[in-house]
Amino acid sequence: MYIIAGLGNPERRYDGTRHNIGFSAITALCDAYHISMDRREHKAVCGRGYIEGQKVLLAEPQTYMNLSGESIRELVDYYKIDPESELIVIYDDINLAPGKLRIREKGSAGGHNGIKNIIAHLGTQNFNRIRIGVGEKPKGWDLADYVLGRFSKEEEPEIREALGRVVEACRVMLTEDTSAAMNQFNG
C-alpha cells in the first residue's frame, strides 16, 4: 500500500491558495481515479482506492502545514508502510516557476516548514516527493501573504496542466519507479 499525502491548510479560506496546491493535487487524483475523501483518521481527511492496481491511501493532513509531520507519522505507523518506498508527499515550492514539477526521492526541507516537520517526525529525509512550482515571491512581499494568496488568471492554466502532470507522475511512480518519473517530469 502507498500513502500519497498532499500538504495544505484545512480551513476553507485557504482553498485554492498557492500553499494548498498539495490539496489540489489530491483532488486531481481523486477525480482521475474515482476515490472519495470520505474518512477522517490520524489527523487527516483520507480516501482509499486504487491507482493502476496499486492500493493507495490519499491523505490531506488537517494539522495545518507547519505540523504536517504529526499526521504523516501517525499514518505511516498505523498502516505500517516504509516511508522511503511507500510514501509520496506533494507540496508547493516557491523556487520553481508556476506549474513546474520537481520529483525527488530524498532531500532537505529546503526551507519548507511542512517538510521540515515531516522530516522531524519520520526521522529521515528519505521519502518521495513531488514539488509543484508556485512561483517566486515578488520583491517586497511577505512570504506568508504570498503563499496564502491565489494564483493569477494568467497562471491558472499552467497550474491546471501541472495538476494533470502530477496525476501522471504518481501513476509512473506507482507502476514503474520514482527514477522513471524523475526522468519524465523533471525538466
Side-chain angles (χ1 to χ4, degrees):
M1 177 164 132
Y2 291 85
I3 294 174
I4 303 175
L7 304 188
N9 288 312
E11 292 178 51
R12 199 175 279 295
R13 66 184 167 135
Y14 298 114
D15 289 354
T17 62
R18 293 172 190 276
H19 223 23
N20 272 38
I21 194 80
F23 282 11
S24 298
I26 294 297
T27 299
L29 284 162
C30 287
D31 292 347
Y33 290 100
H34 311 290
I35 298 171
S36 295
M37 298 293 282
D38 56 2
R39 310 171 65 89
R40 291 189 72 84
E41 56 182 292
H42 307 289
K43 301 176 186 167
V45 173
C46 301
R48 291 185 188 181
Y50 291 87
I51 294 177
E52 304 301 326
Q54 295 288 343
K55 189 174 184 179
V56 297
L57 179 81
L58 303 180
E60 294 177 343
Q62 300 294 293
T63 53
Y64 290 88
M65 180 67 78
N66 294 351
L67 300 176
S68 298
E70 293 177 11
S71 174
I72 301 286
R73 177 85 239 185
E74 286 186 27
L75 289 165
V76 164
D77 288 350
Y78 183 81
Y79 288 101
K80 296 177 177 46
I81 67 144
D82 177 3
E84 293 189 19
S85 61
E86 299 168 317
L87 173 66
I88 301 170
V89 179
I90 307 170
Y91 62 100
D92 62 299
D93 189 332
I94 62 168
N95 296 313
L96 293 174
K100 295 288 182 198
L101 301 185
R102 185 75 71 236
I103 300 168
R104 295 185 65 190
E105 295 175 313
K106 60 185 174 185
S108 72
H112 194 285
N113 289 332
I115 297 300
K116 193 179 301 180
N117 192 258
I118 292 170
I119 290 169
H121 277 84
L122 292 180
T124 183
Q125 296 182 8
N126 300 338
F127 55 88
N128 295 307
R129 53 201 76 189
I130 302 174
R131 297 171 8 223
I132 305 171
V134 298
E136 190 176 352
K137 170 186 78 74
K139 214 174 198 72
W141 279 52
D142 177 71
L143 180 59
D145 289 342
Y146 180 68
V147 297
L148 296 177
R150 287 176 170 63
F151 293 100
S152 69
K153 291 260 188 263
E154 296 77 30
E155 293 169 326
E156 285 177 8
E158 295 168 331
I159 297 305
R160 277 193 300 278
E161 185 181 310
L163 292 171
R165 288 195 320 276
V166 168
V167 169
E168 181 62 14
C170 286
R171 185 193 67 74
V172 172
M173 292 169 84
L174 297 180
T175 60
E176 297 178 45
D177 61 22
T178 303
S179 294
M182 289 167 65
N183 289 335
Q184 190 172 340
F185 296 96
N186 290 355

